[in-house]
Amino acid sequence: MTTLFELQLDKSLRRKLIFICLLVAIVISAIYSVIAYRLSSELGVDTEIRFLEKRALFLMAEIEEEGDDAEERVAELISLMQTTEHQPEELYLIFQDNEGTSWELNQFMPKKTVSDVLQQIGTAYSADNKSGFNRVDGHYHIWTVQNQPDKTLTLVISSHSLDQARAHIFKRLIISSVIVFWIAVWLALTLSSWIAKRVEDKNEALKKLATHDNLTGLPNRLFLADLFERYQRKHNAPEKGALFLINIDKFKDINETLGHRNGDKLLIVFAHRIEHFLSKDQVVIRTSADEFLVWVPEVDAENACHFADQLIATLTSAFQIDQLPIQLSITIGIALSPNHSDEIDSLMMFADIAMNEARKQRSAWSVFDETQQIEQNSQKTLRYRSELTDALREHQFKLYYQPKVDLQTGRIISTEALARWHHPEDGVVPPIMFISIIEQSGKIREFGRYVIKTSIRQLSFWKSKGIAVPIAVNLSPYNLLDPDIVTFTQDLLKKYDIEPKLLEIELTETATSLHLQTISKSLNAFKEIGVQLSIDDFGTGMSSLAYISSLHVDTIKIDRAFVRDMDENERHLSIVQTALNLAKAFDCTVVAEGVENVTQANLLAALGCHYGQGYYYSRPIPEEQFTAMLQFSPTLPVAST
Amino acid sequence: MMKPNLHPWDRILRGVIGVVVIAFGLFNGDFLEEPIIEILIIIFGVLNLVSLATGWCPVYSLANIDTRSKKP
């Protein structure tokens, strides 16, 4: 099962976010500082060079004008320029012309520096590059070479102002970088915690959505699985306790009677009552419409039973829905951890099995019984459920036939078709293993139609062989909710040209059987088209008499439970007699099921029972064998022999 | 909302930084020569002094940091 651990917030998320924000801030600050520094120093250098070029041009013009006195005039001008500066700048000037005149002027510039700078000018100078700056002896020196066709002036100054400007820019950039960094830290902290908080909130909401039921607000299966996993991770051992599966009996009926809105209300009130009953460490979750799970830690089997009693007492007192008191009946299945299993999925399955067991025993609760090895069966059930679709498609379900015999003559008067699953791995699987799976799987309509169709084809096949033996098929009450089942049957009967009276519907009364009224419509329609009706397992169902009186059945089949020991059990004998009288009164025939020996056959015949069915005559056999039986020995041993 | 979230040491540190930074912003002479930076530095200092006075840092509060209580 998916765990919620994936939803837990990564603790390092915030740290990572802060780290990333800071890193981005540092990188941006660095880029910004470098670019700003370079840009402004380039601008500064550029301005200085232009200024120097202008000075050189000015001096050049003066030299041109003065002619021979140029050297003195230039020296005078330069000293004039120097007086405007705070600090006399180092300056070097050299003039050459084509006539061989050459003079230089040096103010405060060391000789070595001059030669170094001149050397660098020699390499850097070109027609396109007449000015530039070099770093010599830790100082910036700006130079320019001004050419005219017949003379050249080279001017070099040591630039203090450039150093000053750079230091100035650097200082400001450092301070503003610190401020930017400080703002970035702010932003990093705020942004990271804001994002982390949002993620956390979303996670919480998602978690709530994933682990809680919308209607009742109770946690769901995922929550419990998560709880289990957390405990196991923390303690490295399975949690001790008991899992209670609470099922509201016949909740569907409540929904149908009161409406879904009131059904929902009832569920909410029901859920709240469970919640109030539980202590803090106990958990209730809703698993499906009418099923709740309660997890009670630290209890043993004995306490669990006691707890179940209390729970039942609490939940069976009346609920008020719209001023209408509603009394619920509930069934509880109990599974213990770690006695039965330490895995939540298995515990849920075991609780479910226990709940079904309680239902069968008509008991309010039941503890899962390991010794029955039901686990294997339920795993098989799960497997069968998944294989059902393929089985139906591949016609793995075969009909076996068991004869119904006239007790007086031994003649086969009819047959009951019983489904068997020819499972590719497990061999022939009896109906008890798969009927309920089919009923729960939603495939019951498809299955019912399949059985009817196979039976009608069989009738058609027998008809071609000159055999006319009716087939009784077992239909689940759910089949009768299929609105088109009657039309479907009628069409098939017409198609294969089979008399409707050759088909008989056997209806089993089950504890969960649906309302008589809802299915009586289909049953009456079957009657109308001429299909025979019979009640199966008569005497064990809940509403036998109501069925018979209102449905006009043709046949009732007395349950094997009464027939099997009627020669020894007076009470069962009385029931059989009563059923026979009843059948007489309702003018229907009687078939005794489970006839296993000649004594029973004789006794039934003596009581006036018409027909018998059971292992004494034949067990259910495959179609080919049964056809052979019909062809070659249609008369079976009679009762009196 | 204004629940103090600063440890005394945190407050003292902020106080010192605040005073130093404001003093620098006001009395740096010709060092900075940039009014915008001076104003920013003074704001930074004042905010530090506000934190010293109230024992509360708005950024800590937003970022859910608390140096006052033991719990992080």
Side-chain angles (χ1 to χ4, degrees), chain A residues 468-531:
Chain A
V469 172
I471 297 180
V473 294
N474 290 282
L475 283 191
S476 153
Y478 294 106
N479 283 128
L480 299 166
L481 291 175
D482 181 351
D484 299 324
I485 188 81
V486 182
T487 334
F488 173 81
T489 313
Q490 197 176 16
D491 291 348
L492 279 175
L493 288 170
K494 272 187 192 152
K495 185 181 164 191
Y496 289 98
D497 191 25
I498 301 294
E499 271 186 88
K501 68 170 187 187
L502 286 179
L503 188 68
E504 188 175 329
I505 306 279
E506 284 194 11
L507 198 63
T508 313
E509 308 168 57
T510 55
T512 55
S513 79
L514 301 161
H515 261 282
L516 189 57
Q517 285 191 334
T518 46
I519 57 168
S520 64
K521 203 174 146 202
S522 296
L523 286 176
N524 286 331
F526 269 126
K527 282 282 298 180
E528 274 169 30
I529 63 166
V531 172

Side-chain angles (χ1 to χ4, degrees), chain A residues 14 18 168 171-173 175-176 179 182-183 185-187 189-190 192-194 197, chain B residues 24 30-34 37 40-41 43-44 47-48 58-60 62-65:
Chain A
R14 220 184 117 179
I18 292 181
H168 203 66
K171 199 162 60 187
R172 289 178 189 201
L173 279 177
I175 292 174
S176 54
I179 293 175
W182 168 57
I183 293 172
V185 171
W186 261 29
L187 213 65
L189 285 174
T190 316
S192 61
S193 71
W194 180 66
K197 181 94 175 48
Chain B
F24 178 70
D30 292 337
F31 185 75
L32 283 178
E33 293 175 346
E34 175 58 65
I37 291 180
L40 279 176
I41 280 182
I43 292 175
F44 176 53
L47 285 177
N48 272 295
V59 178
Y60 273 16
L62 275 175
N64 215 7
I65 298 173

